[in-house]
């Protein structure tokens, strides 16, 4: 364990404080991301919209978040995390307050757009600061802990926020979230520094258009595309099932209420929260990224086969299966450690942004594709003029889940190269 001892002594004393503040931004943006789910009824009443209109308002978050992933990585490498993350938190806070002040659907959409734009800098910012302040040995575990914040944010954005909304109303709750953002931005600006050896990022000397050469340099390497494909495959089942189609499928499979089905799906997020740092630890403990990536794919593949195709899985056992489903998504975090291993420090932001963009592509493509497959399955009945799809229809539409995990296994086991910094030591 001499390597670990040497690494621990090399960590600056304030590095963990900086990491915690950066990870707190990720937690904060995730609360803002899921907040509309507990504000649905009062917001639809306020804006006089149906569920369709409400869905459009909420989705404006992603219309800014997804396209900003690659530019955010480039910007981090050019301007540094302190300035960008502080400004991004301020944008989130302003968007939340703007959202609370309006009675117009259009301006409400603009508020969500601002929140999504600012939130795009959260996770990449954590990864950039981790790469700069910690030796490579710590990266996978800390990235996993940062990913854990998404689960914590989902929890806080659920029942606790719902209780706050019930007590003070959705507008006042949004004001409170905005105020928290301003406080977090002030603290982050005061404490966070871009590098251990200098106060802030030096002024860029090259032209901005030259920064895109960083992206070209990242994309020239085959491992960039292999790990991006893995990241897309290992997270797509979460975006498809846990975020959208899981609840109606479990309702139909077990004939339970939406509350029970939602509770089942929440177990997936707990699994992600546990699996992300755990697989990061496995990756570092055994000095093998490939091992962690492969374990993740196997867990996901087995779990999705049980969820969809193994008959007579009891409701109580399904909790265990869905927890393993969440564990299977933990490899997505380890993929960012692979990105860190394969790129020099000045390219980590750009490469991480590209990888995070790949993560989001799967949901954008396969969420509607599953709907199309369901629509054409012909296994549908009308209940109160609402289409309800059969279990066999879902088995067809959701077949993309095990397919994705099978492909991620192939990519991890046969196509990826070992990149852990101590794998040869």
């Amino acid at each position: 364990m001499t390597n670990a001892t040497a690494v621990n002594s090399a960590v600056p004393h304030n590095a963990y404080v900086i990491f915690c503040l950066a990870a707190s931004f990720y937690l904060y943006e995730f609360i803002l991301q899921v907040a509309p789910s507990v504000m649905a009824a009062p917001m639809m009443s306020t804006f006089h919209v149906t569920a369709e209109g409400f869905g459009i308002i909420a989705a404006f978050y992603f219309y800014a978040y997804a396209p900003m992933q690659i530019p955010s990585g480039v910007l981090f490498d050019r301007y540094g995390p302190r300035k960008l993350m502080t400004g991004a938190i301020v944008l989130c806070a302003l968007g939340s307050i703007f959202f609370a002040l309006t009675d117009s659907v259009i301006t409400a959409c603009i508020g969500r757009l601002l929140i999504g734009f600012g939130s795009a800098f959260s996770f990449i910012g954590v990864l950039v600061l981790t790469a700069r302040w910690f030796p490579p040995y710590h990266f996978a575990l800390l990235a996993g802990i940062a990913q854990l914040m998404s689960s914590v944010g989902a929890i806080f954005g659920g029942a606790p926020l719902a209780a706050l909304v019930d007590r003070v109303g959705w507008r006042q709750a949004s004001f409170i979230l905005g105020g928290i953002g301003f406080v977090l931005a002030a603290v982050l600006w005061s404490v966070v520094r871009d590098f251990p050896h200098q106060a802030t990022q030096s002024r860029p000397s090259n032209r901005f258009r030259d920064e895109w050469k960083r992206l070209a340099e990242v994309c020239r390497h085959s491992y960039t595309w292999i790990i991006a494909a893995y990241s897309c495959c290992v997270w797509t089942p979460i975006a498809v099932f846990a975020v959208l189609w899981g609840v109606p499928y479990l309702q139909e499979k077990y004939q339970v209420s939406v509350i029970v089905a939602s509770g089942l799906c929440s177990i997936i997020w707990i699994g992600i929260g546990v699996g992300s740092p755990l697989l990061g630890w496995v990756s570092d403990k055994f000095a093998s990224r490939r091992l962690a990536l492969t374990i993740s794919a196997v867990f996901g593949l087995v779990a999705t086969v049980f969820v969809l195709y193994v008959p007579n899985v009891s409701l109580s056992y399904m909790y265990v299966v869905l927890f393993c489903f969440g564990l299977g998504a933990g490899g997505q975090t380890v993929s960012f450690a692979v990105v860190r291993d394969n790129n020099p420090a000045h390219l980590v932001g750009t490469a991480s942004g590209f990888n995070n963009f790949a993560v989001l592509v799967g949901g954008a493509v396969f969420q509607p594709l599953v709907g199309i497959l369901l629509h054409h399955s012909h296994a549908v009945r009308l209940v109160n003029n609402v289409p309800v799809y059969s279990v066999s229809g879902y088995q067809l539409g959701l077949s993309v889940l095990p397919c994705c995990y099978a492909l991620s296994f192939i990519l991890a086991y046969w196509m990826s190269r070992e990149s852990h910094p101590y794998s040869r030591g």
Side-chain angles (χ1 to χ4, degrees):
M1 299 300 289
T2 54
N3 281 337
T5 304
V7 167
N8 286 335
S9 63
V11 178
H13 69 280
N14 56 336
Y16 292 101
V17 176
I18 288 173
F19 170 79
C20 288
L21 279 173
S24 295
F25 177 23
Y26 191 38
L27 184 153
Y28 174 68
E29 77 80 6
F30 213 87
I31 294 174
L32 295 178
Q33 181 183 151
V34 304
S37 65
V38 299
M39 302 177 178
M43 283 178 56
M44 284 191 285
S45 176
T46 299
F47 294 115
H48 305 291
V49 294
T50 63
E52 181 182 11
F54 172 73
I56 292 173
I57 294 173
F60 262 79
Y61 172 97
F62 295 100
Y63 298 158
Y65 189 96
M68 280 303 300
Q69 290 309 299
I70 293 177
S72 70
V74 173
L75 291 169
F76 271 118
D77 286 334
R78 181 177 177 86
Y79 295 110
R82 183 181 179 230
K83 293 177 182 177
L84 287 176
M85 294 182 79
T86 302
I89 298 172
V90 169
L91 267 181
C92 288
L94 287 174
S96 184
I97 291 175
F98 192 74
F99 186 64
L101 285 173
T102 183
D103 288 313
S104 165
V105 171
I106 294 176
T107 47
C109 290
I110 294 173
R112 288 294 291 173
L113 200 71
L114 288 175
I115 294 172
F117 189 94
S119 296
F121 294 87
S122 58
F123 188 53
I124 304 301
V126 178
L127 298 179
V128 171
L129 283 169
T130 301
R132 292 182 178 184
W133 280 84
F134 292 88
Y137 185 86
H138 288 275
F139 191 88
L141 176 59
L142 291 174
I145 293 172
Q147 188 66 50
L148 170 63
M149 293 301 180
S150 67
S151 298
V152 176
I155 292 170
F156 276 106
L161 183 60
L164 179 64
V165 171
D166 184 62
R167 185 178 181 86
V168 302
W170 75 270
R171 289 189 187 275
Q172 190 62 34
S174 296
F175 279 124
I176 292 171
L177 289 174
I180 292 172
F182 286 123
V183 172
L184 180 60
V187 175
L188 190 142
W189 176 261
S190 301
V191 175
V192 170
R193 295 296 181 266
D194 292 331
F195 293 98
H197 58 274
Q198 66 184 67
T200 57
Q201 187 102 348
S202 58
R203 184 183 179 89
S205 58
N206 54 331
R207 295 170 298 179
F208 184 80
R209 66 183 181 183
D210 293 334
E211 295 296 328
W212 293 100
K213 294 178 181 178
R214 298 179 190 264
L215 180 60
E217 184 177 348
V218 167
C219 291
R220 272 200 299 268
H221 303 291
S222 61
Y223 55 74
T224 296
W225 296 94
I226 291 172
I227 197 60
Y230 174 90
S231 302
C232 178
C233 289
V234 86
W235 192 257
T236 292
I238 299 299
V240 170
F241 191 88
V243 174
L244 190 60
W245 295 108
V247 171
Y249 167 72
L250 292 169
Q251 281 185 271
E252 181 65 19
K253 181 178 177 68
Y254 290 104
Q255 293 299 301
V256 294
S257 69
V258 65
I259 296 174
V260 174
S262 298
L264 277 166
C265 273
S266 69
I267 299 300
I268 298 175
W269 294 104
I270 296 174
I272 294 170
V274 173
S276 295
L278 179 61
L279 285 171
W281 176 82
V282 168
S283 170
D284 289 334
K285 175 68 175 178
F286 297 96
S288 176
R289 307 296 192 212
R290 288 180 67 193
L291 175 62
L293 296 176
T294 304
I295 290 173
S296 173
V298 170
F299 265 102
L301 178 58
V302 173
T304 50
V305 168
F306 267 84
V307 167
L308 293 176
Y309 303 118
V310 175
N312 303 320
V313 179
S314 69
L315 190 63
S316 57
Y317 279 116
M318 186 56 68
Y319 282 96
V320 178
V321 172
L322 292 173
F323 180 80
C324 293
F325 189 171
L327 288 177
Q332 181 254 359
T333 304
V334 180
S335 74
F336 286 97
V338 178
V339 171
R340 166 66 179 86
D341 298 337
N342 285 301
N343 290 278
H346 71 283
L347 292 178
V348 168
T350 302
S352 298
F354 182 85
N355 199 60
N356 210 32
F357 176 76
V359 170
L360 297 168
V361 165
V365 173
F366 287 104
Q367 279 187 351
L369 180 59
V370 169
I372 293 171
L373 291 173
L374 277 172
H375 180 72
H376 290 284
S377 69
H378 303 296
V380 58
R381 67 184 189 275
L382 290 178
V383 178
N384 297 324
N385 291 322
V386 176
V388 176
Y389 301 96
S390 69
V391 171
S392 62
Y394 280 108
Q395 287 174 332
L396 171 65
L398 295 172
S399 59
V400 65
L401 273 61
C403 289
C404 280
Y405 279 123
L407 181 56
S408 68
F409 176 81
I410 293 170
L411 290 166
Y413 191 77
W414 278 291
M415 297 186 68
S416 67
R417 68 185 190 188
E418 182 53 63
S419 66
H420 195 283
Y422 296 148
S423 61
R424 292 184 295 271

